[in-house]
Amino acid sequence: TQLLEQSPQFLSIQEGENLTVYCNSSSVFSSLQWYRQEPGEGPVLLVTVVTGGEVKKLKRLTFQFGDARKDSSLHITAAQPGDTGLYLCAARRSGNTPLVFGKGTRLSVIA
Amino acid sequence: ETGVTQTPRHLVMGMTNKKSLKCEQHLGHNAMYWYKQSAKKPLELMFVYSLEERVENNSVPSRFSPECPNSSHLFLHLHTLQPEDSALYLCASSQVSGLTGGYTFGSGTRLTVV
């Protein structure tokens, strides 16, 4: 059983479109992070959310942590080719336990 | 040099070879990790070192042997690997404090076992 379920697995959209990807679990987490990984590189941290219901914005990216701290979403407005990559969510159950990762959503933005 | 550096970037080895992967971080972090990334699977945590002590070994086969000589360096020694061990091996570091510590990853070593 996958601890963190990410959907969709693959997404291909045109430049300028909006999109939302999801990270769901039946477990409660103390914190959740989103990373983006480009081909040939390691994942890069985008954001950390800690409080249930928290919303954070990073330019055209909006991250939300569910009220029950079991799920999260990432919304991208007016996607650009530079947004192409693998988006990974990762979470901790408590304290300093190591991060657990989802399988990721592979996003392709076509110019 | 800053960040997390992994060498080599690519490695092809036979099943009877012995090789080592190297990871170096210049961020002053006190925890380091090895993850395995395979197609269609989530990142799999292999080993965790916190304050230079191994705190987690996620049922990894003994053909993988980690070494952490100091807080800035981490190695993964490989011997008698199997073709299914082919994957991207990622090293990461973090500061062990609080709930919000993010990981800084290296670019990975793409390993192919033939």
Side-chain angles (χ1 to χ4, degrees):
Chain A
T1 303
Q2 186 64 34
L3 184 62
L4 288 169
E5 296 283 351
Q6 289 193 246
S7 61
Q9 227 179 322
F10 300 95
L11 187 57
S12 181
I13 61 170
Q14 295 291 324
E15 182 177 3
E17 291 183 359
N18 301 332
L19 66 114
T20 303
V21 299
Y22 302 91
C23 176
N24 296 304
S25 177
S26 57
S27 299
V28 177
F29 297 108
S30 59
S31 65
L32 187 143
Q33 299 179 339
W34 284 92
Y35 291 77
R36 180 170 66 213
Q37 184 177 17
E38 298 185 17
E41 298 298 329
V44 175
L45 178 66
L46 296 174
V47 77
T48 300
V49 286
V50 178
T51 306
E54 183 176 3
V55 176
K56 282 192 174 179
K57 291 193 174 185
L58 183 66
K59 295 183 181 177
R60 294 175 294 100
L61 278 60
T62 302
F63 305 86
Q64 184 161 10
F65 201 14
D67 291 341
R69 289 186 290 129
K70 292 183 179 182
D71 51 77
S72 181
S73 63
L74 159 58
H75 181 80
I76 300 179
T77 304
Q80 298 178 1
D83 296 326
T84 293
L86 179 67
Y87 288 81
L88 297 161
C89 70
R92 285 189 177 92
R93 280 203 170 123
S94 64
N96 287 318
T97 54
L99 286 172
V100 175
F101 284 80
K103 290 185 182 181
T105 292
R106 191 165 296 281
L107 172 65
S108 177
V109 181
I110 303 164
Chain B
E1 194 169 352
T2 59
V4 178
T5 303
Q6 289 188 244
T7 54
R9 290 294 304 270
H10 301 274
L11 178 62
V12 179
M13 59 186 288
M15 289 191 283
T16 58
N17 291 160
K18 289 184 181 180
K19 296 286 185 183
S20 295
L21 310 185
K22 180 182 176 183
C23 177
E24 189 172 355
Q25 60 99 0
H26 302 275
L27 300 167
H29 288 165
N30 55 17
M32 296 186 78
Y33 313 81
W34 280 116
Y35 278 87
K36 176 183 178 183
Q37 187 174 34
S38 307
K40 300 182 181 179
K41 287 186 178 181
L43 268 73
E44 298 172 66
L45 178 64
M46 299 176 73
F47 301 104
V48 180
Y49 277 83
S50 179
L51 301 173
E52 299 169 40
E53 284 191 27
R54 190 193 308 181
V55 296
E56 187 148 344
N57 175 348
N58 254 16
S59 302
V60 179
S62 60
R63 56 186 184 268
F64 295 91
S65 175
E67 179 189 359
C68 186
N70 56 60
S71 60
S72 299
H73 294 85
L74 185 65
F75 294 89
L76 188 62
H77 303 299
L78 317 171
H79 66 97
T80 59
L81 294 191
Q82 304 298 310
E84 61 264 29
D85 297 322
S86 298
L88 181 68
Y89 288 84
L90 289 163
C91 172
S93 70
S94 74
Q95 194 64 19
V96 182
S97 59
L99 299 173
T100 60
Y103 289 6
T104 302
F105 283 88
S107 297
T109 294
R110 173 68 62 185
L111 174 67
T112 303
V113 181
V114 297

